[in-house]
């Protein structure tokens, strides 16, 4: 699936949630979408669990 298509689907889901469920539903769908994105990146191997818990300074030192 292309990124444009995925973005369009996510936007439509947020739009429907906001229209039918109000602002609370919009926030819930947005938060769950963000969680799903992180889990998907982790499942594909693009993200390491340790990257989520390291400080910015530790990441910078590790790359040198």
């Amino acid at each position: 699936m292309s990124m444009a298509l995925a973005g369009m689907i996510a936007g439509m889901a947020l739009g429907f949630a906001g229209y039918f469920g109000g602002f609370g539903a919009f926030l819930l769908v947005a938060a769950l979408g963000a969680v799903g994105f992180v889990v998907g990146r982790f499942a594909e191997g693009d993200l390491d669990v340790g990257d989520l818990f390291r400080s910015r300074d530790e990441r910078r030192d590790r790359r040198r």
Side-chain angles (χ1 to χ4, degrees):
M1 179 185 308
S2 73
M3 292 300 289
L5 182 61
M8 183 186 74
I9 291 170
M12 289 176 62
L14 287 170
F16 280 119
Y19 182 76
F20 292 111
F23 188 67
F26 175 84
L27 290 178
L28 179 64
V29 171
L32 291 175
V35 169
F37 176 76
V38 170
V39 169
R41 295 289 300 258
F42 175 71
E44 288 181 353
D46 294 338
L47 186 65
D48 185 24
V49 176
D51 291 340
L52 299 174
F53 300 109
R54 276 191 212 103
S55 70
R56 185 178 307 201
D57 292 333
E58 289 177 12
R59 279 185 248 154
R60 192 177 308 134
D61 292 339
R62 186 173 154 206
R63 291 180 184 165
R64 287 184 192 174

